[in-house]
Amino acid sequence: MRILMVCLGNICRSPLADGLLKKKITEKELMHLHSVDSAGTCDNHIGQDPDTRMQKTATSFGCSIEDLRARQFKVQDFNDFDLIYVMDQSNLENVLSLARTEEDKIKVKLILNESHPNKNLEVPDPYFGGENGFIEVYDLLDKATDCIIKKLEE
Ligand code: 4NP
């Protein structure tokens, strides 16, 4: 399975989702079966490494995301990935607006529906908030990626 994590800037939420799922895939020795990447819907942060606050939170929980670099979501990603997980409704709308076909659209899912089925919950944008926001994002994405890895193991 080829999985893409998408948020707005690709410097906070989607790099963490990317790093966590890569770590879990590696721990389960499933690297030969699955790949993970991340992207942002906006172009403001292209080429940047993840937000220092997100890096610090990830490191404190034993997950390294420092090597990731932000890139923008592109239409070609619908060809290159099987599953596209978005963090919030705004990401969902932005990605769906680029979909060309029904086949493109069904690849796009709110990531928290993995841990909270059918609730359509959002991973809150931590960018303008305090440290607790980053810990909350970690908690939500740790649980969601646990659910994803369980599915990948089946
Ligand atoms: P992300 O967080 O979408 O989780 O990477 C944000 C990063 C940057 C901005 C907003 C959210 N920004 O407004 O620049």
Side-chain angles (χ1 to χ4, degrees):
M1 197 68 81
R2 301 164 302 169
I3 298 173
L4 183 68
M5 303 295 190
V6 176
C7 63
L8 175 63
N10 193 208
I11 55 169
C12 297
R13 294 164 293 176
S14 62
L16 182 67
D18 179 346
L20 278 172
L21 191 58
K22 275 194 186 120
K23 177 173 178 244
K24 291 171 191 188
I25 285 172
T26 304
E27 284 168 357
K28 302 278 183 188
E29 298 187 351
L30 297 170
M31 300 87 79
H32 57 296
L33 293 175
H34 308 294
S35 62
V36 189
D37 192 15
S38 60
T41 57
C42 80
D43 61 6
N44 296 19
H45 300 279
I46 293 172
Q48 292 180 10
D49 52 357
D51 188 297
T52 313
R53 299 164 294 174
M54 197 76 263
Q55 288 194 44
K56 280 196 182 134
T57 304
T59 303
S60 75
F61 289 102
C63 180
S64 161
I65 57 170
E66 70 214 20
D67 291 340
L68 300 178
R69 293 295 174 266
R71 72 167 178 90
Q72 189 173 25
F73 180 84
K74 52 186 190 293
V75 173
Q76 176 67 26
D77 289 320
F78 287 114
N79 300 345
D80 295 342
F81 294 91
D82 306 301
L83 267 175
I84 299 169
Y85 283 117
V86 296
M87 303 295 133
D88 63 28
Q89 290 289 344
S90 154
N91 309 150
L92 185 66
E93 282 167 27
N94 287 328
V95 171
L96 287 179
S97 74
L98 296 172
R100 303 152 299 183
T101 60
E102 242 355 87
E103 200 185 343
D104 286 353
K105 286 183 188 164
I106 57 173
K107 293 182 174 185
V108 190
K109 299 171 191 302
L110 280 167
I111 192 167
L112 292 191
N113 277 346
E114 294 295 338
S115 46
H116 305 77
N118 305 315
K119 295 259 165 47
N120 295 336
L121 298 179
E122 302 186 304
V123 182
D125 180 349
Y127 191 69
F128 294 106
E131 192 194 342
N132 282 351
F134 288 85
I135 294 169
E136 185 190 2
V137 166
Y138 183 89
D139 226 44
L140 289 168
L141 290 177
D142 189 33
K143 292 194 176 78
T145 51
D146 274 347
C147 296
I148 295 170
I149 197 87
K150 277 202 188 95
K151 278 193 181 170
L152 295 179
E153 282 182 289
E154 282 166 7

